[in-house]
């Protein structure tokens, strides 16, 4: 016969389900520290790589659309179309009307790409993207998963906290950005490279990823491969905020499940829904909030990697702050949120897919996401 919970025996009402949860959590944490030799640090690397690959393939068309809407070429094109139709600049509209216009223009470009350039254009840059995403996500998840454990054991007596999550996420973001920036420069320039609608290839600056890499080094030096790196570091704030929100949401889900288990109540439909979709919703929601707050850095990073020139043939932007202020002065605040709609349509499901695959790989390899 299975023994009843301690607080239910002998009518002892002084021990509550929350106390049972705390005791259970402490036991799990203690067991985790006792089995350090059984930990698999590589599992975070594998999970991040597979998660990044899955999300990149499934959301590739929206990545192409987002990058084009962020670029100066397509912003100028949209501006010319508005002028021809007598439509005022979005900065002169109220928020609701500007939002509707942005969504409408986004859908028009998404529909025009396969018609003018063929369906393959929706996946342009996917090769370099995968070459960048797979190692980037592998490095990021590996650095975060193991960094969280390192910071916890070194500075916080083996306990998880928001500070642990912030330190691990920031470290992982800096390592990832530095290691993979050249790949993103090549990918961005290939996506923004003009194509001839007839497929003849006339007017294209780069033949392929290797040609783009060679020409960038030849004309700009090694430094050219690190354009946008300062904006990438600024983007660490987004990934840090995302990780912190995700970890807090996971902790809340764990507390909810522990209390449900301690209550001996039969799970209802809502309980089962939370059990199945809780972590996916947490991942997507964390990304949505983080991306919305920090989105302008995405536009700045794309502009710096694109490296446009002014009328005199010199570089238009000279660093992060110069790019940010120039875009704001010349094009208004709306330009700093160019491509927001397709970006959100891509990154929210992408985050859910990526983190779902990551958690699944950890479970399959017998590794814990906890410290």
């Amino acid at each position: 016969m299975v023994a009843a919970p301690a607080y239910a025996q002998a009518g002892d009402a002084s021990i509550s389900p929350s106390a049972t949860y705390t005791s259970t959590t402490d036991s799990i944490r203690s067991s985790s520290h006792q089995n350090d030799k059984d930990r698999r640090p590589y599992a975070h690397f594998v999970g991040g790589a597979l998660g990044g690959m899955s999300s990149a393939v499934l959301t590739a068309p929206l990545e192409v659309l987002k990058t084009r809407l962020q670029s100066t070429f397509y912003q100028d094109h949209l501006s010319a179309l508005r002028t021809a139709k007598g439509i005022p600049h979005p900065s002169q509209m109220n928020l609701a009307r500007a939002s509707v216009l942005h969504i409408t223009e986004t859908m028009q470009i998404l529909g025009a790409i396969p018609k003018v350039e063929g369906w393959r254009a929706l996946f342009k840059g996917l090769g370099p993207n995968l070459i960048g995403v797979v190692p980037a996500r592998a490095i990021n998840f590996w650095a975060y998963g193991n960094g969280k454990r390192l910071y916890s054991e070194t500075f916080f007596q083996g306990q998880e906290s928001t500070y642990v999550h912030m330190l691990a996420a920031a470290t992982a973001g800096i390592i990832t950005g530095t290691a993979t920036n050249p790949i993103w420069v090549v990918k961005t320039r290939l996506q923004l490279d003009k194509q001839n609608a007839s497929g003849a290839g006339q007017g294209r600056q780069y033949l392929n990823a290797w040609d783009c890499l060679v020409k960038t080094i030849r004309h700009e030096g090694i430094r050219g491969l690190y354009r946008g790196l300062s904006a990438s570091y600024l983007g660490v704030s987004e990934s840090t905020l995302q990780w912190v929100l995700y970890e807090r949401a996971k902790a809340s889900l764990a507390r909810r499940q522990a209390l449900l288990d301690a209550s001996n109540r039969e799970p209802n439909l809502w309980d089962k829904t939370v059990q199945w979709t809780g972590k996916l919703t947490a991942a997507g929601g964390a990304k949505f909030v983080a991306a919305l707050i920090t989105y302008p850095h995405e536009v700045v990073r794309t502009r710096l990697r694109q490296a446009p020139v002014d009328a005199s043939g010199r570089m238009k932007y000279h660093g992060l702050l110069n790019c940010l202020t120039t875009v704001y002065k010349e094009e208004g605040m709306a330009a700093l949120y160019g491509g927001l709609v397709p970006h959100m349509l891509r990154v929210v499901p992408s985050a859910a897919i990526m983190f779902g695959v990551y958690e699944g790989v950890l479970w399959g390899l017998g590794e814990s996401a906890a410290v």
Side-chain angles (χ1 to χ4, degrees), residues 263-275:
S263 70
N264 290 324
R265 176 174 62 83
E266 187 70 21
N268 56 33
L269 179 60
W270 175 248
D271 294 326
K272 293 179 180 178
T273 301
V274 172
Q275 289 173 352

Side-chain angles (χ1 to χ4, degrees), residues 35 38-43 359-369:
N35 297 314
D38 296 332
R39 302 302 292 265
R40 298 173 176 82
Y42 66 87
E359 296 279 359
V361 170
L362 292 187
W363 177 83
L365 294 178
E367 172 66 1
S368 173

